[in-house]
Amino acid sequence: MADSEMGEATLERKLAVYRNLDERFVIREEKYKGQQFSHIYFMRLHHMRSQLQSLIPNWKPHLPVNTVLGLEEGKECIIVGTLYKHMKLKPSILDEYSKERSAIPLVKPHNFMSTDDHLILEDESGRVKLAGPMLAPSAFVTGIVIAVHGKETSEGDFFVEDFLEAGLAPQVDRPLDSREDKFVAFVSGLSVGTNAFNPLQFQLLVDHVTGHLGDENEQRISSKIVRLVIAGNSMHISHGFFSGQTVAPKDHAKLTEPIRELDIFLTQLVAALPVDIMPGCNDPANYSLPQQPLHRCLFAGASAYNTFVSCTNPHHFELDNVQFVGTSGQNIDDLYKYSDAKDKIEFMERTLRWRHLAPTAPNTLGCYPYVDKDPFLIESCPHVYFVGNQEKYETRLLQGPDKQLVRLISIPRFCETGVAVMVHKQTPLSLSLKFLPPVSLFLLFYLCSLTLGTWNAMRSVSPQICKCDCGYPMGTALGSSMHTRLCSYFTGDILPLPISAFFFYLGRLFSPDCCNF
Amino acid sequence: MSSGDIKGFYRQKKKNSGVTKPSSSSSSSKKSKSKHYTGGASVGAPSAAQTPALVTRGGAIDLKEEYGDEEEALRQFDMDMKYGPCIGFGRLERWERAAAMGLHPPPHVREVLVGLASGSTARSSKFKCLWEGLV
């Protein structure tokens, strides 16, 4: 795909070899036969236990490994099992039926932790309560598989002296440096259809990524973007429509408006570069993980292009042999509700160390009841791990004991922050692009320009005429360009203009965390 | 698991020594019947042939005389926790899953199930696990 500039050499967009590895998340042959969630927990335990058992000899080789039922009082040993965290404040469907409501607050807190939480370890034979200061319940959640070393006390608890998590999975070697720079752009939380969505802001992003913005240097950067990944919550359908009542014919348009608006933007994007779109918690996709790809018929315009790829959530793909894995944020948000950490990046680190993308599924996070596999297990450590729909942009480079190197990225919601993230495929660096429409500044400049133009007209100095031939006098070339931009925006024409570049540079000037490594 | 009234419920007498009342203690109760049925996880459960709930299975009272060695082996396979939970999952699929995981499930169980598949379809209840329709 070429972005051409008038009369100069065409800039070609870089290409990268893409492989979609979402197969394990797509629900194809699975049939629901009435099974419960015990099978997915069994598969998880079996798989993680075999991995932990290969790590235990390096950790504490002299201790025996027992099952929970085989514990003897006072004898030191290691047990491997799934953690269950008993939480008093965890909302339960049975609360509706309980006679006394005093223990559970009516207003749901954001975080359900309390000081009374305790951990229980479970395997196929039984369960035992874990005691001791080594395991802080606030750092753990239900559903992770660990090995603990300790002994059984006289009360029947297991006193923990040490514990072992699986740690980062082995990583496929990153491919050797090629001379070229390639970037992958990430954005999430567009929320088309809400009041928070600003079309100008998103249009700026589209223009920048497709190369219609800025001078040649900017276009050169844009030509290095090989893919755009939209990590969930692209549209928002008003919740009034979910009450189950029939929608009046006059409201039909309101129902499909956000989808159509998103499709228009997407068509501009897919015409220029490959786009992956993932479903999020507000998108019209299924609720339980793994969310299935958004249907093609939602995107009448964009799905005609072969650069449009609708993906599952979680999403796993490979670009030039660099592994990317990410979700739209439900897994990390759920961890935030049931455990505590310094920041969201730390939650992401923990999921990698536990080798499981969504450990709280199916306990508190909706999940399909698989019988023969647990698709969220992380078999090989990715090179880039991203999570969408978070509050702010954060990134960290995580190093593992076996020379694993993972770039962790938390992508903020675009409708709130206007920040998109670009990741350099090779190194991997990441930087954030902030699209600020400084509306007040715009108005001020526009008014100044108008005043100046009128002043010039009064003094008979030949004014700059707006390019769209509306005849409006503007004082400065920049002002006239701005006006043309306004006109073009409303007529749907998109012209490459210095004013867009002005916005872009202004935004970069004012955003303190514009370039982040 | 109700602990009373089993004697009054059934009018017939069983071959073995009386009805075993289910114990409420949680110690692993080995129910020693004449056929050495040592269940793994069914603690405190009344012996399988006596519960009224089993009347629903196949439409006939599941008496010990009727289910022979094959069913015994299949139930042992169901109860063995090493191969995972058995509820909501057909026996043959569970066997295939255990084989795929490398747990070496007993091959004669598979032969029984495959033999049944080719035989009469009246015994299709054997493909479902022990607790099918009861839990």
Side-chain angles (χ1 to χ4, degrees):
Chain A
M1 277 135 266
D3 308 289
S4 60
E5 182 122 27
M6 313 281 201
E8 297 190 13
T10 58
L11 278 175
E12 289 235 351
R13 191 177 289 280
K14 299 264 190 306
L15 295 173
V17 177
Y18 172 78
R19 221 160 54 102
N20 188 317
L21 297 164
D22 280 344
E23 197 50 42
R24 64 173 195 231
F25 299 121
V26 176
I27 303 223
R28 237 186 270 280
E29 280 102 35
E30 275 82 359
K31 287 207 166 44
Y32 182 66
K33 298 194 196 87
Q35 68 267 24
Q36 296 182 7
F37 291 109
S38 49
H39 301 281
I40 195 175
Y41 276 121
F42 172 67
M43 296 309 293
R44 191 184 298 181
L45 177 62
H46 177 84
H47 186 270
M48 291 299 303
R49 187 166 43 193
S50 51
Q51 300 200 333
L52 280 168
Q53 266 163 357
S54 62
L55 293 172
I56 285 176
N58 296 335
W59 180 49
K60 290 184 194 220
H62 50 281
L63 290 170
V65 179
N66 279 352
T67 59
V68 169
L69 217 51
L71 282 178
E72 289 164 26
E73 193 180 322
K75 186 169 154 218
E76 259 187 61
C77 60
I78 297 178
I79 44 175
V80 181
T82 316
L83 270 185
Y84 176 77
K85 182 156 124 177
H86 181 86
M87 301 175 83
K88 190 173 68 177
L89 294 177
K90 186 172 94 170
S92 158
I93 192 86
L94 300 173
D95 290 344
E96 288 177 23
Y97 301 101
S98 72
K99 297 243 170 52
E100 52 131 277
R101 290 173 178 275
S102 51
I104 292 100
L106 285 174
V107 176
K108 291 263 185 285
H110 197 70
N111 186 290
F112 298 109
M113 293 189 345
S114 90
T115 44
D116 292 341
D117 297 339
H118 56 266
L119 293 169
I120 299 171
L121 194 76
E122 215 180 274
D123 72 359
E124 296 115 334
S125 54
R127 42 165 39 194
V128 66
K129 182 164 169 219
L130 297 178
M134 272 304 297
L135 281 182
S138 58
F140 294 93
V141 284
T142 302
I144 57 184
V145 179
I146 56 171
V148 285
H149 156 227
K151 51 168 147 340
E152 191 183 350
T153 61
S154 49
E155 284 116 44
D157 296 345
F158 189 81
F159 185 83
V160 176
E161 282 163 38
D162 200 1
F163 69 94
L164 175 70
E165 291 166 340
L168 291 180
Q171 195 179 53
V172 171
D173 280 327
R174 188 188 308 282
L176 296 171
D177 248 318
S178 60
R179 293 296 127 199
E180 306 182 322
D181 280 341
K182 292 186 193 172
F183 289 89
V184 179
F186 293 91
V187 73
S188 82
L190 297 168
S191 300
V192 177
T194 52
N195 290 333
F197 174 65
N198 187 341
L200 178 60
Q201 211 176 23
F202 189 37
Q203 189 63 56
L204 274 178
L205 171 66
V206 171
D207 286 345
H208 173 70
V209 167
T210 55
H212 288 110
L213 192 67
D215 65 348
E216 197 178 311
N217 286 329
E218 296 301 330
Q219 286 186 328
R220 213 176 288 280
I221 296 181
S222 307
S223 72
K224 296 194 175 129
I225 303 179
V226 292
R227 199 157 202 100
L228 174 71
V229 178
I230 304 179
N233 285 352
S234 323
M235 57 189 118
H236 191 271
I237 309 212
S238 153
H239 281 277
F241 291 116
F242 296 158
S243 60
Q245 297 176 339
T246 42
V247 177
K250 61 178 167 68
D251 287 334
H252 281 174
K254 260 198 275 171
L255 193 61
T256 54
E257 215 171 86
I259 307 175
R260 275 195 254 128
E261 204 178 332
L262 178 66
D263 191 30
I264 293 174
F265 284 116
L266 274 184
T267 316
Q268 294 172 32
L269 281 170
V270 291
L273 85 166
V275 176
D276 282 1
I277 182 163
M278 292 163 59
C281 54
N282 292 331
D283 285 324
N286 54 315
Y287 165 74
S288 53
L289 290 186
Q291 284 184 294
Q292 299 304 292
L294 293 166
H295 203 280
R296 307 183 28 168
C297 66
L298 289 171
F299 306 107
S303 57
Y305 289 82
N306 68 349
T307 46
F308 174 76
V309 180
S310 185
C311 317
T312 57
N313 169 33
H315 184 33
H316 180 193
F317 65 98
E318 191 184 274
L319 264 182
D320 281 351
N321 292 320
V322 177
Q323 307 279 331
F324 291 75
V325 168
T327 64
S328 300
Q330 290 105 323
N331 56 337
I332 302 299
D333 290 341
D334 210 55
L335 279 181
Y336 176 66
K337 279 195 228 160
Y338 295 99
S339 65
D340 201 22
K342 259 190 350 272
D343 49 22
K344 296 286 177 81
I345 293 279
E346 198 173 327
F347 285 127
M348 293 171 68
E349 249 187 73
R350 286 184 192 165
T351 56
L352 283 180
R353 286 194 207 285
W354 295 329
R355 296 203 199 177
H356 200 276
L357 281 173
T360 50
N363 186 36
T364 44
L365 191 57
C367 164
Y368 181 82
Y370 287 97
V371 271
D372 51 2
K373 61 176 177 182
D374 184 352
F376 305 109
L377 289 164
I378 299 175
E379 315 257 348
S380 88
C381 194
H383 297 111
V384 176
Y385 180 35
F386 62 92
V387 164
N389 295 300
Q390 301 303 308
E391 267 92 42
K392 53 190 169 106
Y393 165 65
E394 281 176 310
T395 181
R396 192 178 302 167
L397 195 59
L398 181 64
Q399 295 200 333
D402 279 329
K403 292 207 232 91
Q404 297 108 331
L405 210 59
V406 195
R407 167 63 64 182
L408 305 172
I409 308 169
S410 132
I411 310 167
R413 284 172 225 129
F414 191 78
C415 59
E416 286 168 17
T417 58
V419 176
V421 181
M422 262 172 44
V423 181
H424 187 270
K425 187 179 63 67
Q426 209 55 38
T427 24
L429 306 169
S430 80
L431 52 104
S432 68
L433 300 173
K434 197 149 183 177
F435 293 91
L436 272 186
V439 180
S440 48
L441 234 68
F442 164 80
L443 276 176
L444 187 66
F445 192 85
Y446 188 63
L447 285 170
C448 290
S449 220
L450 195 55
T451 329
L452 195 56
T454 330
W455 174 257
N456 279 344
M458 280 178 4
R459 293 181 352 184
S460 322
V461 173
S462 68
Q464 303 275 342
I465 301 293
C466 171
K467 288 195 185 63
C468 73
D469 293 329
C470 61
Y472 222 103
M474 298 298 283
T476 59
L478 218 44
S480 80
S481 306
M482 239 167 72
H483 185 79
T484 318
R485 178 70 188 155
L486 251 191
C487 295
S488 73
Y489 180 75
F490 285 113
T491 58
D493 246 10
I494 298 174
L495 305 170
L497 289 169
I499 188 52
S500 313
F502 165 72
F503 269 134
F504 184 66
Y505 286 114
L506 195 64
R508 286 178 75 160
L509 197 64
F510 282 101
S511 74
D513 55 328
C514 187
C515 277
N516 238 326
F517 291 94
Chain B
M1 319 266 175
S2 65
S3 59
D5 277 326
I6 303 283
K7 258 194 186 141
F9 212 99
Y10 278 93
R11 285 179 293 267
Q12 306 122 285
K13 269 265 189 221
K14 297 294 151 226
K15 240 196 210 168
N16 67 340
S17 50
V19 176
T20 46
K21 275 227 180 106
S23 58
S24 52
S25 71
S26 60
S27 64
S28 53
S29 39
K30 307 256 189 229
K31 309 270 188 278
S32 50
K33 293 191 275 185
S34 49
K35 286 205 172 171
H36 302 291
Y37 180 62
T38 51
S42 51
V43 173
S47 27
Q50 317 275 346
T51 333
L54 274 176
V55 175
T56 58
R57 195 182 154 91
I61 297 175
D62 207 352
L63 302 175
K64 215 175 341 129
E65 298 83 20
E66 282 194 18
Y67 70 76
D69 276 325
E70 287 181 348
E71 178 74 12
E72 185 64 41
L74 290 175
R75 285 184 184 188
Q76 289 276 32
F77 173 66
D78 272 348
M79 285 290 110
D80 198 342
M81 268 294 116
K82 195 167 67 172
Y83 310 118
C86 68
I87 295 178
F89 205 18
R91 280 167 171 166
L92 190 55
E93 285 115 331
R94 185 160 171 264
W95 198 98
E96 304 283 359
R97 180 182 81 175
M101 283 163 56
L103 297 170
H104 302 294
H108 64 269
V109 170
R110 183 161 200 275
E111 284 159 20
V112 167
L113 287 168
V114 169
L116 282 173
S118 52
S120 66
T121 48
R123 286 324 223 145
S124 63
S125 62
K126 289 213 177 156
F127 286 111
K128 315 237 171 95
C129 84
L130 174 59
W131 307 113
E132 182 71 30
L134 306 174
V135 177

